[in-house]
Amino acid sequence: MAGFQGGKKKPLKAPKKNVTEEDETDLEFKRKKQEEQRQLKELQKKAQGKGPLTSGGIKKSGKK
């Protein structure tokens, strides 16, 4: 068994990502996405202050 090597093998290195230059359309797209995310978070904060929209579950009549 001369070819067997024990121990952990090192993981393969991930290839480096190429640095891409962003043009105006990419920058505008990123700004738009960030704006949408910010608005969504604001709406979620507003919705948390209110109670649930429906009173789920079984309705009880109050009679026994």
Side-chain angles (χ1 to χ4, degrees):
M1 291 208 195
F4 180 75
Q5 294 179 354
K8 258 188 176 178
K9 290 187 176 183
K10 292 183 180 177
L12 295 175
K13 290 185 178 179
K16 291 185 178 180
K17 293 182 180 178
N18 293 335
V19 178
T20 58
E21 293 183 16
E22 298 174 346
D23 57 356
E24 281 297 316
T25 56
D26 290 338
L27 292 174
E28 186 64 33
F29 179 73
K30 284 186 179 183
R31 285 187 201 123
K32 188 176 180 182
K33 280 290 187 185
Q34 286 177 348
E35 182 68 24
E36 288 176 1
Q37 289 292 329
R38 189 172 57 81
Q39 288 177 352
L40 183 64
K41 285 183 182 181
E42 287 177 8
L43 288 174
Q44 286 176 347
K45 284 181 184 179
K46 279 186 181 180
Q48 283 179 349
K50 298 178 183 176
L53 297 176
T54 60
S55 57
I58 300 170
K59 292 186 179 180
K60 298 182 179 178
S61 64
K63 295 181 182 177
K64 263 203 158 179

